[in-house]
Amino acid sequence: MFLGAIIFAAVWSLIALFISHYPETIAGYNTMPKAKREKIDIEKIGRLVSRVMYAGVPFALIAPLMPNEKLFTLLLLVPAALLIAVAVYVNVKNEKFNKQ
């Protein structure tokens, strides 16, 4: 379990690092019309997404220390839940991510 959690945390961190350097790879951005893409501050969204992904890494690392499997599973789902929450936030508060 420890090795799996470490691998999960490492892959999750690498994806966060990739998004921080290449935010244009975030799903849906490249399929937008060019006029809409020019209005969005993708760098700001990329920073937010990568920071939230980094925030989920400790949950994955402490998951194997849980006394039962339900808590283990719950802690492994926290990073994904954080990512879903930030996706909803970015879509709801889209005016915050427009270029000024």
Side-chain angles (χ1 to χ4, degrees):
M1 265 201 256
F2 287 109
L3 182 60
I6 290 171
I7 291 170
F8 177 81
V11 170
W12 196 257
S13 296
L14 287 174
I15 293 170
L17 181 66
F18 184 78
I19 288 175
S20 68
H21 290 289
Y22 304 103
E24 64 276 359
T25 60
I26 295 174
Y29 179 73
N30 289 323
T31 59
M32 283 183 194
K34 187 171 182 163
K36 192 171 182 182
R37 262 190 276 164
E38 291 172 353
K39 295 179 185 177
I40 294 176
D41 189 359
I42 192 66
E43 299 293 328
K44 193 173 182 182
I45 294 172
R47 281 192 309 271
L48 176 65
V49 170
S50 66
R51 287 177 183 168
V52 168
M53 288 184 73
Y54 282 128
V57 170
F59 292 100
L61 291 175
I62 64 169
L65 303 175
M66 293 299 107
N68 62 32
E69 200 166 316
K70 288 183 181 181
L71 286 174
F72 171 76
T73 305
L74 180 67
L75 282 180
L76 281 184
L77 291 176
V78 168
L82 288 172
L83 191 58
I84 291 169
V86 79
V88 170
Y89 177 75
V90 167
N91 283 311
V92 169
K93 299 286 187 176
N94 57 4
E95 67 274 355
K96 288 185 77 171
F97 300 101
N98 288 339
K99 290 182 181 176
Q100 300 299 339

